[in-house]
Amino acid sequence: MNQPKTDPRIQRTRKLIMDSFMELSNIKEFKEITITDIAAEAMINRATFYYHFEDIYDLLEKVLSEVLLVNLNCSNYPHNELTEEAITSIFVAITNFQKSLSNRCHRGYEDTIARIIREQLEIIFYQLLSPQQHSEKDEGLRIMAIILSSGMYGASVDWMRNSHKITPEEFIELAIPHLLPAHHIGSPDN
Amino acid sequence: MNQPKTDPRIQRTRKLIMDSFMELSNIKEFKEITITDIAAEAMINRATFYYHFEDIYDLLEKVLSEVLLVNLNCSNYPHNELTEEAITSIFVAITNFQKSLSNRCHRGYEDTIARIIREQLEIIFYQLLSPQQHSEKDEGLRIMAIILSSGMYGASVDWMRNSHKITPEEFIELAIPHLLPAHHIGSPDN
DNA sequence: TTGAATATGTCGCTTATACAACACATCGAA
DNA sequence: TTCGATGTGTTGTATAAGCGACATATTCAA
């Protein structure tokens, strides 16, 4: 929740690097972006890059995670509950994220991107599934989170490929009756 | 001409501080801006401010100098010569600068601002008056530069107060015939 | 295939920035 | 006046960032 405050120098430099990477992504293919490029664009020393990231794949991973998280956090789910609303807004966030990616030529890294999306979704679904402040791990909920994250991601891929005629909201709402048992919908007794 | 490259950290931090100060100037009076404010806005430590500037007056001075220099360098005078063109564009730069200041409430520091403008102008006029690459100091030219800088500044103040009906170009061109001996106008033999 | 050019990681040392603490000044309200 | 709150400069120490150098890839053209 509240980390012990990260050094502002680290915040600044990480932002500089990430922004420069996204900027370069608009110009070049991912494969053509070098760490030397990024350091030059960010006006930082190349060695400093390695202080923050393992390598360029680590950077890609963290940039994507962050962009995705920004999308997801826009909708602040109430009371950590997995409602129809929460599912819909998560699905919209995923499709938005994927649409924004398709503009930024990351061709050839679909599987990396897919893995990152699923990992982030898994974390979020696990939180939504867990009872309040329940910090002990529950293997059943973890597996359920995996199923939901993979399922949502697969659905988003399908929507991207085939179903541009209907909105993501309409698309996912077609599935919700089958996904959530009827008596769970609408936060039953609380 | 080409300094041995200043540390990029210094460039970044100085820019952060200066930009934050200008940003705050749009919101508050100069008197109400504290160093604590600036540090917070720039997301730097307050102690770091003192690594770059003596105090808030030093900052004001350097910010104004820089803004003024940007205005002045827009018109890149040919061959370091004090022509009618050069005088006109310098005068326009001064009035532009003063107009931009009047939007940014610096009331109560007119004399400080006036001194800074005159100092910068003196440097520029001295360069324009000096023969090419002539690095030895000439007291006569220095005094002439003082006269020109004070004179131009005074003229700009007068224009600000009274003569908004005519453009700065028209204003200063009225004086040029009297200012420059006729045979000097128009870069005589070159 | 070779060789030159460029990119990647890493290291040691220097410098800039963060942070907490301090003494002092200023200011406004009790 | 006195006190509390806030701002100013300064200092000592920890850490992030800069910089040059190095060994090792990778690329690409001869």
Side-chain angles (χ1 to χ4, degrees):
Chain A
M1 280 296 166
N2 53 351
Q3 289 91 330
K5 274 184 191 174
T6 73
D7 192 319
R9 289 174 288 183
I10 291 184
Q11 299 179 44
R12 281 202 296 272
T13 304
R14 286 178 60 101
K15 183 164 179 3
L16 270 178
I17 293 174
M18 289 182 160
D19 288 350
S20 302
F21 176 69
M22 292 196 282
E23 180 60 29
L24 289 175
S25 296
N26 292 328
I27 305 172
K28 303 181 183 184
E29 292 279 338
F30 173 75
K31 302 176 201 177
E32 293 167 351
I33 297 175
T34 71
I35 292 173
T36 306
D37 287 339
I38 297 169
E41 171 82 18
M43 288 206 305
I44 58 146
N45 194 278
R46 195 167 55 83
T48 303
F49 176 92
Y50 294 99
Y51 189 89
H52 296 270
F53 304 97
E54 287 281 328
D55 51 29
I56 204 172
Y57 302 101
D58 184 36
L59 171 62
L60 172 65
E61 192 158 327
K62 284 171 177 162
V63 166
L64 293 182
S65 300
E66 189 155 293
V67 175
L68 179 59
L69 272 182
V70 166
N71 275 327
L72 288 171
N73 284 342
C74 284
S75 44
N76 217 350
Y77 315 118
H79 302 306
N80 278 10
E81 224 165 338
L82 187 61
T83 62
E84 171 176 350
E85 231 178 346
I87 291 178
T88 304
S89 58
I90 287 176
F91 186 75
V92 172
I94 303 171
T95 52
N96 280 337
F97 177 65
Q98 301 228 59
K99 279 188 288 182
S100 77
L101 276 191
S102 65
N103 300 330
R104 306 199 176 174
C105 348
H106 284 296
R107 270 163 266 158
Y109 289 88
E110 287 87 355
D111 46 352
T112 302
I113 293 169
R115 179 177 52 75
I116 294 169
I117 294 179
R118 275 190 262 102
E119 283 169 3
Q120 295 298 322
L121 287 177
E122 183 185 328
I123 294 170
I124 289 173
F125 278 124
Y126 188 80
Q127 287 175 348
L128 287 179
L129 288 169
S130 297
Q132 305 279 35
Q133 323 297 353
H134 194 255
S135 57
E136 315 148 25
K137 289 184 187 172
D138 180 325
E139 188 67 0
L141 294 184
R142 197 185 68 79
I143 295 174
M144 194 56 208
I146 290 177
I147 294 172
L148 283 172
S149 62
S150 297
M152 285 290 121
Y153 177 73
S156 77
V157 171
D158 183 84
W159 180 83
M160 292 285 289
R161 289 219 189 100
N162 308 321
S163 312
H164 274 285
K165 300 153 200 164
I166 64 175
T167 68
E169 288 89 343
E170 291 163 350
F171 183 88
I172 195 63
E173 275 166 14
L174 292 178
I176 283 184
H178 309 281
L179 192 59
L180 293 178
H183 63 279
H184 279 182
I185 300 183
S187 19
D189 43 9
N190 180 338
Chain B
M1 279 297 165
N2 55 350
Q3 289 89 331
K5 274 185 191 172
T6 74
D7 191 320
R9 288 175 289 184
I10 292 184
Q11 299 179 44
R12 280 202 297 270
T13 303
R14 285 177 61 100
K15 182 164 178 8
L16 270 177
I17 293 174
M18 289 182 159
D19 288 350
S20 301
F21 177 69
M22 291 196 283
E23 179 60 30
L24 288 175
S25 296
N26 292 329
I27 305 172
K28 302 181 183 185
E29 293 279 339
F30 174 76
K31 302 175 203 178
E32 293 166 353
I33 297 175
T34 72
I35 292 174
T36 306
D37 287 339
I38 297 169
E41 170 82 17
M43 287 205 306
I44 58 145
N45 195 277
R46 196 167 54 83
T48 303
F49 175 92
Y50 294 99
Y51 188 88
H52 295 272
F53 304 98
E54 287 282 327
D55 51 29
I56 203 171
Y57 302 101
D58 183 35
L59 172 61
L60 172 65
E61 191 157 327
K62 285 172 176 160
V63 166
L64 293 182
S65 299
E66 188 155 293
V67 175
L68 179 58
L69 272 184
V70 167
N71 276 326
L72 289 171
N73 285 342
C74 285
S75 46
N76 217 350
Y77 315 120
H79 303 305
N80 279 9
E81 224 164 339
L82 187 61
T83 62
E84 171 176 350
E85 233 178 344
I87 291 178
T88 305
S89 58
I90 287 176
F91 186 76
V92 171
I94 303 171
T95 52
N96 279 338
F97 177 65
Q98 300 227 60
K99 278 188 287 182
S100 78
L101 275 190
S102 67
N103 299 331
R104 306 198 177 180
C105 349
H106 285 295
R107 269 163 266 161
Y109 289 87
E110 287 87 355
D111 47 352
T112 301
I113 293 169
R115 179 177 52 73
I116 294 169
I117 294 178
R118 276 191 263 100
E119 283 169 2
Q120 295 297 322
L121 287 177
E122 183 185 330
I123 294 169
I124 290 172
F125 279 124
Y126 188 78
Q127 287 175 348
L128 287 178
L129 290 169
S130 297
Q132 304 281 37
Q133 322 296 355
H134 193 255
S135 56
E136 314 147 28
K137 289 183 184 171
D138 180 324
E139 188 67 1
L141 294 185
R142 197 184 70 79
I143 295 173
M144 193 58 207
I146 291 177
I147 294 171
L148 283 172
S149 62
S150 297
M152 284 289 122
Y153 177 74
S156 77
V157 170
D158 183 85
W159 180 84
M160 292 285 289
R161 289 218 189 99
N162 309 320
S163 313
H164 274 286
K165 301 152 199 163
I166 62 175
T167 67
E169 287 89 343
E170 292 164 349
F171 183 89
I172 195 61
E173 274 165 16
L174 293 176
I176 284 185
H178 310 281
L179 191 58
L180 293 180
H183 62 280
H184 278 183
I185 300 182
S187 15
D189 44 9
N190 177 339

